[in-house]
Amino acid sequence: MGRLLVSGAAAVLGLTMLTGAPTATARAVPLDGTFPSRIALPNGFQPEGIAIGPGPTAWFGSRADGDIYEVSLRTGRGRVISEGPGTPSVGLKSDRQGRLYVAGGASGTARVVDTDTGELLADLTLTTGTSFVNDVVLTRDAAWFTDSSQPQLYRLARTSRGPAASATTVPLTGDWVQGAGFGANGISTTPTGRHLLVVNSTSGLLYRVDPTTGAATEVDLGGASLTMGDGMLRQGRTLYVVRNRSNQVAVLRLSRDGLSGRLVRTITAADLDEDTSFDVPTTVARFGADLYLPNARFTTPPTPTTEYWVTKVRARAGS
C-alpha cells in the first residue's frame, strides 16, 4: 500500500498520530485537486528543515525536541514518525532508499532515520567541540553537513546499504572567512555536481568548495548579497537561497562551474497565495512546480500553542 500517513480511521476522524500526539489541523484540499498552499504543523513544533520525496511526502524536523513529522503534500495531514532524542533536528535530506539524514544542531550530531518505519538507523557524533550542525546535502557517495560555528564540513560516506559508521571532518580553507556569528549554513552542489556550494549567513557570501580538499572559492554574484542565507536548493543551474529573517528567497542563475551567478528574481510575500504567508522561512524543497518552505518564526517566542506552518509558492526561476 506504500507510505500511509495516517490510518483509515485517523484520516476520517482526524484523531491522533501513531505516537499519541495530536495531528495538526489541515486545511481542506481544494476541490480543483490542487495541493494546499498552506500546511499546518503541530502547535509548538518549531520546524527548521524540510525534505521531500520521492513522491508527495515531506518530512520536517523539530528544533524543540528533534521529532520528525511526516506530511502528505496532497492533503496536509501528518504524523510524527520518529520521536526525537531531546536535541534539535535541523537540516534534512531524504534519499531514494527511504533514509532521512538529519543535522543535529548544537548537539554536534547527525542521525539517519528510516522514513517507512521511523527506526533510528544511525546516531553519529560529528564533533565534540562547540558546534551547530546546520544543514545537509546528499551527493552520490556521501552526506555533507555544515557547521555554522566552525569553519568545517563533515563528510559521511553512504552507499545503497546505508551510511558509514563515522564521518570525516573537512576544514574550510582558501577564500573562506568565518567571521563572527553564524558561518556556513545552507549547502548544495554545483551544476556539474563536482563541487559543493556553501553560503555564509553573516557575510552573505557564497562559496564553491572542493570536496576533496575543503578549499573554498568565493562565487562572483555581481554584487548581490545573501545575508541571512539559510537553506538552499539547486535545480539545474537555478539556485534558490532562503534569506530567513528577510522573508525572501533569492533566485540565482549559476554558471555551469558554479564560480559565478546572477540574481534573477526575489520571491517575497507578494508571490504567495492570499491564504498563506512567510514568517522567517528557513529552508526549501521542491515538489513538481512548487517550492515548500517551513516557517520557523524565530521572532515569535515559542510556546506549546505557537502555530507553525509550511508555505507553498510557485517555483518560477525568472529570466
Side-chain angles (χ1 to χ4, degrees):
M1 295 178 65
R3 183 177 294 112
L4 295 180
L5 295 181
V6 288
S7 68
V12 175
L13 300 177
L15 296 178
T16 58
M17 291 179 278
L18 296 186
T19 59
T23 58
T25 301
R27 299 193 175 205
V29 179
L31 295 178
D32 62 3
T34 59
F35 290 15
S37 57
R38 177 182 171 118
I39 297 174
L41 297 174
N43 288 353
F45 187 74
Q46 298 184 49
E48 209 282 352
I50 180 175
I52 292 179
T57 302
W59 296 273
F60 301 89
S62 169
R63 303 189 319 276
D65 55 16
D67 282 359
I68 303 297
Y69 187 73
E70 180 181 270
V71 171
S72 165
L73 299 178
R74 188 182 304 277
T75 66
R77 298 188 181 98
R79 62 171 180 144
V80 171
I81 64 163
S82 176
E83 292 187 354
T87 54
S89 292
V90 195
L92 310 174
K93 287 296 184 296
S94 55
D95 67 15
R96 293 186 177 277
Q97 286 75 42
R99 291 185 287 260
L100 188 69
Y101 290 76
V102 184
S107 69
T109 64
R111 306 194 325 274
V112 184
V113 174
D114 187 308
T115 59
D116 287 319
T117 66
E119 178 187 357
L120 181 64
L121 302 176
D123 189 356
L124 305 162
T125 297
L126 302 181
T127 178
T128 58
T130 300
S131 63
F132 195 90
V133 181
N134 203 334
D135 205 357
V136 56
V137 69
L138 303 182
T139 61
R140 183 179 61 181
D141 58 359
W144 288 88
F145 295 85
T146 59
D147 189 330
S148 297
S149 296
Q150 300 291 336
Q152 57 197 29
L153 306 177
Y154 306 103
R155 181 186 185 276
L156 178 63
R158 52 186 288 267
T159 68
S160 60
R161 296 187 298 275
S166 61
T168 302
T169 300
V170 180
L172 291 169
T173 60
D175 292 345
W176 183 266
V177 177
Q178 181 69 14
F182 257 31
N185 196 331
I187 185 169
S188 183
T189 56
T190 60
T192 63
R194 297 176 182 173
H195 296 83
L196 303 170
L197 293 170
V198 179
V199 66
N200 185 306
S201 290
T202 301
S203 70
L205 299 177
L206 183 68
Y207 295 88
R208 192 188 81 166
V209 178
D210 185 330
T212 61
T213 65
T217 304
E218 182 182 337
V219 178
D220 181 2
L221 298 180
S225 175
L226 299 176
T227 53
M228 292 174 279
D230 205 325
M232 303 197 300
L233 170 69
R234 183 185 59 79
Q235 299 278 295
R237 288 172 58 183
T238 299
L239 182 69
Y240 299 93
V241 183
V242 182
R243 300 181 62 199
N244 52 36
R245 292 176 188 258
S246 296
N247 289 312
Q248 297 179 349
V249 181
V251 185
L252 303 168
R253 177 69 173 173
L254 298 171
S255 63
R256 179 173 167 77
D257 60 10
L259 285 174
S260 64
R262 60 186 178 91
L263 182 68
V264 295
R265 182 183 174 220
T266 300
I267 299 172
T268 67
D271 298 290
L272 306 181
D273 290 347
E274 62 181 12
D275 66 340
T276 192
S277 59
F278 281 152
D279 193 344
V280 194
T282 44
T283 190
V284 58
R286 181 169 179 167
F287 181 74
D290 297 311
L291 303 174
Y292 289 84
L293 300 96
N295 293 275
R297 308 194 72 189
F298 288 148
T299 59
T300 300
T303 73
T305 60
T306 302
E307 295 183 351
Y308 294 96
W309 66 92
V310 184
T311 298
K312 184 184 80 169
V313 64
R314 185 66 70 175
R316 292 188 295 112
S319 57

mmCIF file of all heavy atoms in Angstrom, residues 145-180:
data_model
loop_
_atom_site.group_PDB
_atom_site.id
_atom_site.type_symbol
_atom_site.label_atom_id
_atom_site.label_comp_id
_atom_site.label_asym_id
_atom_site.label_seq_id
_atom_site.Cartn_x
_atom_site.Cartn_y
_atom_site.Cartn_z
ATOM 1 N N PHE A 145 27.561 17.723 5.779
ATOM 2 C CA PHE A 145 26.919 18.555 6.793
ATOM 3 C C PHE A 145 27.735 19.829 7.010
ATOM 4 O O PHE A 145 28.972 19.787 7.049
ATOM 5 C CB PHE A 145 26.828 17.807 8.128
ATOM 6 C CG PHE A 145 25.950 16.587 8.091
ATOM 7 C CD1 PHE A 145 26.459 15.362 7.658
ATOM 8 C CD2 PHE A 145 24.626 16.653 8.484
ATOM 9 C CE1 PHE A 145 25.650 14.226 7.630
ATOM 10 C CE2 PHE A 145 23.810 15.526 8.463
ATOM 11 C CZ PHE A 145 24.323 14.310 8.027
ATOM 12 N N THR A 146 27.043 20.955 7.172
ATOM 13 C CA THR A 146 27.715 22.208 7.517
ATOM 14 C C THR A 146 27.759 22.390 9.024
ATOM 15 O O THR A 146 26.951 21.825 9.767
ATOM 16 C CB THR A 146 27.003 23.422 6.904
ATOM 17 O OG1 THR A 146 25.654 23.474 7.370
ATOM 18 C CG2 THR A 146 27.013 23.359 5.391
ATOM 19 N N ASP A 147 28.698 23.215 9.470
ATOM 20 C CA ASP A 147 28.802 23.599 10.880
ATOM 21 C C ASP A 147 28.853 25.122 10.920
ATOM 22 O O ASP A 147 29.810 25.734 10.441
ATOM 23 C CB ASP A 147 30.066 22.997 11.505
ATOM 24 C CG ASP A 147 30.110 23.169 13.023
ATOM 25 O OD1 ASP A 147 29.543 24.161 13.523
ATOM 26 O OD2 ASP A 147 30.710 22.316 13.702
ATOM 27 N N SER A 148 27.825 25.735 11.472
ATOM 28 C CA SER A 148 27.751 27.194 11.485
ATOM 29 C C SER A 148 28.673 27.824 12.515
ATOM 30 O O SER A 148 28.895 29.032 12.476
ATOM 31 C CB SER A 148 26.312 27.645 11.747
ATOM 32 O OG SER A 148 25.454 27.226 10.705
ATOM 33 N N SER A 149 29.206 27.035 13.446
ATOM 34 C CA SER A 149 30.080 27.571 14.492
ATOM 35 C C SER A 149 31.555 27.385 14.190
ATOM 36 O O SER A 149 32.398 28.070 14.785
ATOM 37 C CB SER A 149 29.761 26.899 15.835
ATOM 38 O OG SER A 149 28.455 27.195 16.259
ATOM 39 N N GLN A 150 31.875 26.462 13.294
ATOM 40 C CA GLN A 150 33.265 26.164 12.978
ATOM 41 C C GLN A 150 33.458 26.148 11.458
ATOM 42 O O GLN A 150 32.565 25.718 10.728
ATOM 43 C CB GLN A 150 33.678 24.798 13.551
ATOM 44 C CG GLN A 150 33.552 24.682 15.062
ATOM 45 C CD GLN A 150 34.557 25.544 15.794
ATOM 46 O OE1 GLN A 150 35.614 25.882 15.252
ATOM 47 N NE2 GLN A 150 34.238 25.918 17.016
ATOM 48 N N PRO A 151 34.638 26.588 10.965
ATOM 49 C CA PRO A 151 34.895 26.588 9.522
ATOM 50 C C PRO A 151 35.242 25.189 9.019
ATOM 51 O O PRO A 151 36.372 24.911 8.632
ATOM 52 C CB PRO A 151 36.065 27.562 9.361
ATOM 53 C CG PRO A 151 36.814 27.432 10.657
ATOM 54 C CD PRO A 151 35.764 27.198 11.713
ATOM 55 N N GLN A 152 34.248 24.325 9.028
ATOM 56 C CA GLN A 152 34.485 22.946 8.609
ATOM 57 C C GLN A 152 33.187 22.290 8.186
ATOM 58 O O GLN A 152 32.093 22.695 8.580
ATOM 59 C CB GLN A 152 35.127 22.137 9.741
ATOM 60 C CG GLN A 152 34.333 22.110 11.027
ATOM 61 C CD GLN A 152 35.149 21.675 12.231
ATOM 62 O OE1 GLN A 152 36.373 21.898 12.281
ATOM 63 N NE2 GLN A 152 34.512 21.052 13.202
ATOM 64 N N LEU A 153 33.333 21.276 7.340
ATOM 65 C CA LEU A 153 32.232 20.428 6.919
ATOM 66 C C LEU A 153 32.475 19.023 7.440
ATOM 67 O O LEU A 153 33.596 18.674 7.834
ATOM 68 C CB LEU A 153 32.131 20.396 5.386
ATOM 69 C CG LEU A 153 32.031 21.731 4.655
ATOM 70 C CD1 LEU A 153 32.021 21.500 3.136
ATOM 71 C CD2 LEU A 153 30.805 22.510 5.081
ATOM 72 N N TYR A 154 31.427 18.207 7.417
ATOM 73 C CA TYR A 154 31.547 16.807 7.820
ATOM 74 C C TYR A 154 31.052 15.939 6.673
ATOM 75 O O TYR A 154 29.953 16.152 6.156
ATOM 76 C CB TYR A 154 30.726 16.529 9.083
ATOM 77 C CG TYR A 154 31.067 17.464 10.218
ATOM 78 C CD1 TYR A 154 30.220 18.520 10.544
ATOM 79 C CD2 TYR A 154 32.240 17.309 10.945
ATOM 80 C CE1 TYR A 154 30.529 19.392 11.579
ATOM 81 C CE2 TYR A 154 32.564 18.180 11.975
ATOM 82 C CZ TYR A 154 31.700 19.226 12.282
ATOM 83 O OH TYR A 154 32.024 20.089 13.295
ATOM 84 N N ARG A 155 31.877 14.968 6.295
ATOM 85 C CA ARG A 155 31.539 14.058 5.206
ATOM 86 C C ARG A 155 31.208 12.687 5.777
ATOM 87 O O ARG A 155 32.048 12.053 6.435
ATOM 88 C CB ARG A 155 32.689 13.924 4.211
ATOM 89 C CG ARG A 155 32.377 12.995 3.032
ATOM 90 C CD ARG A 155 33.605 12.775 2.147
ATOM 91 N NE ARG A 155 33.281 11.984 0.967
ATOM 92 C CZ ARG A 155 33.241 10.656 0.921
ATOM 93 N NH1 ARG A 155 33.519 9.956 2.021
ATOM 94 N NH2 ARG A 155 32.924 10.031 -0.197
ATOM 95 N N LEU A 156 29.993 12.237 5.528
ATOM 96 C CA LEU A 156 29.563 10.910 5.949
ATOM 97 C C LEU A 156 29.373 10.053 4.702
ATOM 98 O O LEU A 156 28.458 10.301 3.908
ATOM 99 C CB LEU A 156 28.259 11.002 6.743
ATOM 100 C CG LEU A 156 27.654 9.679 7.220
ATOM 101 C CD1 LEU A 156 28.593 8.973 8.199
ATOM 102 C CD2 LEU A 156 26.290 9.909 7.854
ATOM 103 N N ALA A 157 30.240 9.086 4.515
ATOM 104 C CA ALA A 157 30.135 8.212 3.344
ATOM 105 C C ALA A 157 28.820 7.436 3.391
ATOM 106 O O ALA A 157 28.336 7.062 4.463
ATOM 107 C CB ALA A 157 31.320 7.256 3.293
ATOM 108 N N ARG A 158 28.245 7.199 2.208
ATOM 109 C CA ARG A 158 26.975 6.476 2.134
ATOM 110 C C ARG A 158 26.954 5.607 0.888
ATOM 111 O O ARG A 158 27.539 5.944 -0.146
ATOM 112 C CB ARG A 158 25.779 7.430 2.130
ATOM 113 C CG ARG A 158 25.859 8.521 1.081
ATOM 114 C CD ARG A 158 24.740 9.538 1.200
ATOM 115 N NE ARG A 158 23.462 9.011 0.788
ATOM 116 C CZ ARG A 158 22.969 9.117 -0.455
ATOM 117 N NH1 ARG A 158 23.686 9.717 -1.409
ATOM 118 N NH2 ARG A 158 21.804 8.628 -0.759
ATOM 119 N N THR A 159 26.290 4.461 1.000
ATOM 120 C CA THR A 159 26.077 3.564 -0.121
ATOM 121 C C THR A 159 24.605 3.181 -0.138
ATOM 122 O O THR A 159 23.815 3.630 0.706
ATOM 123 C CB THR A 159 26.936 2.290 0.015
ATOM 124 O OG1 THR A 159 26.438 1.513 1.119
ATOM 125 C CG2 THR A 159 28.406 2.620 0.258
ATOM 126 N N SER A 160 24.217 2.318 -1.067
ATOM 127 C CA SER A 160 22.831 1.862 -1.117
ATOM 128 C C SER A 160 22.458 1.076 0.140
ATOM 129 O O SER A 160 21.277 0.935 0.464
ATOM 130 C CB SER A 160 22.603 1.003 -2.359
ATOM 131 O OG SER A 160 23.450 -0.139 -2.340
ATOM 132 N N ARG A 161 23.458 0.593 0.865
ATOM 133 C CA ARG A 161 23.207 -0.177 2.085
ATOM 134 C C ARG A 161 23.086 0.708 3.324
ATOM 135 O O ARG A 161 22.664 0.234 4.369
ATOM 136 C CB ARG A 161 24.311 -1.209 2.289
ATOM 137 C CG ARG A 161 24.368 -2.276 1.206
ATOM 138 C CD ARG A 161 25.356 -3.359 1.551
ATOM 139 N NE ARG A 161 26.715 -2.844 1.657
ATOM 140 C CZ ARG A 161 27.543 -2.693 0.620
ATOM 141 N NH1 ARG A 161 27.133 -3.018 -0.595
ATOM 142 N NH2 ARG A 161 28.761 -2.223 0.797
ATOM 143 N N GLY A 162 23.485 1.977 3.190
ATOM 144 C CA GLY A 162 23.359 2.866 4.328
ATOM 145 C C GLY A 162 24.610 3.685 4.575
ATOM 146 O O GLY A 162 25.583 3.636 3.803
ATOM 147 N N PRO A 163 24.617 4.458 5.679
ATOM 148 C CA PRO A 163 25.743 5.337 5.964
ATOM 149 C C PRO A 163 26.909 4.602 6.614
ATOM 150 O O PRO A 163 26.751 3.517 7.174
ATOM 151 C CB PRO A 163 25.134 6.348 6.947
ATOM 152 C CG PRO A 163 24.098 5.549 7.676
ATOM 153 C CD PRO A 163 23.519 4.610 6.656
ATOM 154 N N ALA A 164 28.080 5.239 6.556
ATOM 155 C CA ALA A 164 29.262 4.713 7.236
ATOM 156 C C ALA A 164 29.082 4.854 8.744
ATOM 157 O O ALA A 164 28.165 5.511 9.237
ATOM 158 C CB ALA A 164 30.505 5.457 6.770
ATOM 159 N N ALA A 165 29.988 4.240 9.492
ATOM 160 C CA ALA A 165 29.906 4.250 10.947
ATOM 161 C C ALA A 165 30.450 5.530 11.559
ATOM 162 O O ALA A 165 30.203 5.820 12.739
ATOM 163 C CB ALA A 165 30.665 3.047 11.513
ATOM 164 N N SER A 166 31.187 6.319 10.788
ATOM 165 C CA SER A 166 31.749 7.568 11.295
ATOM 166 C C SER A 166 31.935 8.541 10.144
ATOM 167 O O SER A 166 31.896 8.148 8.973
ATOM 168 C CB SER A 166 33.089 7.320 12.001
ATOM 169 O OG SER A 166 34.034 6.775 11.098
ATOM 170 N N ALA A 167 32.120 9.808 10.496
ATOM 171 C CA ALA A 167 32.267 10.864 9.490
ATOM 172 C C ALA A 167 33.686 11.419 9.523
ATOM 173 O O ALA A 167 34.434 11.242 10.493
ATOM 174 C CB ALA A 167 31.261 11.970 9.741
ATOM 175 N N THR A 168 34.042 12.134 8.432
ATOM 176 C CA THR A 168 35.338 12.790 8.312
ATOM 177 C C THR A 168 35.151 14.296 8.363
ATOM 178 O O THR A 168 34.233 14.827 7.732
ATOM 179 C CB THR A 168 36.014 12.405 6.983
ATOM 180 O OG1 THR A 168 36.155 10.982 6.909
ATOM 181 C CG2 THR A 168 37.376 13.064 6.855
ATOM 182 N N THR A 169 36.013 14.987 9.117
ATOM 183 C CA THR A 169 35.970 16.448 9.181
ATOM 184 C C THR A 169 36.818 17.029 8.058
ATOM 185 O O THR A 169 37.972 16.626 7.866
ATOM 186 C CB THR A 169 36.489 16.954 10.536
ATOM 187 O OG1 THR A 169 35.666 16.411 11.576
ATOM 188 C CG2 THR A 169 36.454 18.471 10.606
ATOM 189 N N VAL A 170 36.235 17.986 7.311
ATOM 190 C CA VAL A 170 36.936 18.637 6.206
ATOM 191 C C VAL A 170 36.999 20.133 6.502
ATOM 192 O O VAL A 170 35.990 20.843 6.382
ATOM 193 C CB VAL A 170 36.229 18.379 4.858
ATOM 194 C CG1 VAL A 170 36.982 19.075 3.725
ATOM 195 C CG2 VAL A 170 36.105 16.891 4.594
ATOM 196 N N PRO A 171 38.162 20.687 6.903
ATOM 197 C CA PRO A 171 38.270 22.117 7.194
ATOM 198 C C PRO A 171 38.049 22.958 5.931
ATOM 199 O O PRO A 171 38.443 22.571 4.828
ATOM 200 C CB PRO A 171 39.709 22.269 7.702
ATOM 201 C CG PRO A 171 40.108 20.894 8.151
ATOM 202 C CD PRO A 171 39.404 19.956 7.218
ATOM 203 N N LEU A 172 37.414 24.116 6.110
ATOM 204 C CA LEU A 172 37.230 25.058 5.012
ATOM 205 C C LEU A 172 38.443 25.985 4.955
ATOM 206 O O LEU A 172 38.795 26.637 5.945
ATOM 207 C CB LEU A 172 35.952 25.871 5.215
ATOM 208 C CG LEU A 172 34.643 25.088 5.075
ATOM 209 C CD1 LEU A 172 33.462 25.917 5.556
ATOM 210 C CD2 LEU A 172 34.433 24.633 3.639
ATOM 211 N N THR A 173 39.068 26.065 3.774
ATOM 212 C CA THR A 173 40.280 26.871 3.606
ATOM 213 C C THR A 173 40.096 27.785 2.392
ATOM 214 O O THR A 173 38.982 28.040 1.958
ATOM 215 C CB THR A 173 41.502 25.962 3.414
ATOM 216 O OG1 THR A 173 41.309 25.143 2.228
ATOM 217 C CG2 THR A 173 41.682 25.026 4.611
ATOM 218 N N GLY A 174 41.200 28.295 1.857
ATOM 219 C CA GLY A 174 41.132 29.149 0.680
ATOM 220 C C GLY A 174 40.506 30.497 0.995
ATOM 221 O O GLY A 174 40.903 31.173 1.943
ATOM 222 N N ASP A 175 39.487 30.889 0.232
ATOM 223 C CA ASP A 175 38.846 32.200 0.394
ATOM 224 C C ASP A 175 37.917 32.271 1.602
ATOM 225 O O ASP A 175 37.424 33.356 1.941
ATOM 226 C CB ASP A 175 38.023 32.554 -0.852
ATOM 227 C CG ASP A 175 38.861 32.802 -2.083
ATOM 228 O OD1 ASP A 175 40.085 32.981 -1.928
ATOM 229 O OD2 ASP A 175 38.294 32.818 -3.196
ATOM 230 N N TRP A 176 37.643 31.153 2.231
ATOM 231 C CA TRP A 176 36.640 31.149 3.301
ATOM 232 C C TRP A 176 37.043 32.076 4.447
ATOM 233 O O TRP A 176 38.167 32.015 4.946
ATOM 234 C CB TRP A 176 36.437 29.745 3.864
ATOM 235 C CG TRP A 176 35.359 29.715 4.921
ATOM 236 C CD1 TRP A 176 35.524 29.824 6.272
ATOM 237 C CD2 TRP A 176 33.956 29.603 4.691
ATOM 238 N NE1 TRP A 176 34.303 29.781 6.898
ATOM 239 C CE2 TRP A 176 33.316 29.643 5.949
ATOM 240 C CE3 TRP A 176 33.177 29.455 3.536
ATOM 241 C CZ2 TRP A 176 31.938 29.548 6.104
ATOM 242 C CZ3 TRP A 176 31.809 29.353 3.680
ATOM 243 C CH2 TRP A 176 31.203 29.405 4.948
ATOM 244 N N VAL A 177 36.104 32.940 4.864
ATOM 245 C CA VAL A 177 36.283 33.803 6.029
ATOM 246 C C VAL A 177 35.162 33.478 7.001
ATOM 247 O O VAL A 177 33.985 33.704 6.694
ATOM 248 C CB VAL A 177 36.262 35.291 5.645
ATOM 249 C CG1 VAL A 177 36.377 36.157 6.905
ATOM 250 C CG2 VAL A 177 37.374 35.613 4.658
ATOM 251 N N GLN A 178 35.514 32.966 8.179
ATOM 252 C CA GLN A 178 34.500 32.556 9.143
ATOM 253 C C GLN A 178 33.763 33.764 9.729
ATOM 254 O O GLN A 178 32.546 33.815 9.723
ATOM 255 C CB GLN A 178 35.133 31.726 10.253
ATOM 256 C CG GLN A 178 34.152 31.230 11.311
ATOM 257 C CD GLN A 178 33.190 30.169 10.783
ATOM 258 O OE1 GLN A 178 33.397 29.616 9.708
ATOM 259 N NE2 GLN A 178 32.131 29.902 11.543
ATOM 260 N N GLY A 179 34.503 34.713 10.265
ATOM 261 C CA GLY A 179 33.900 35.896 10.855
ATOM 262 C C GLY A 179 33.144 35.571 12.133
ATOM 263 O O GLY A 179 33.165 34.456 12.646
ATOM 264 N N ALA A 180 32.444 36.573 12.664
ATOM 265 C CA ALA A 180 31.634 36.397 13.862
ATOM 266 C C ALA A 180 30.229 35.962 13.460
ATOM 267 O O ALA A 180 29.800 36.153 12.322
ATOM 268 C CB ALA A 180 31.581 37.701 14.658
#
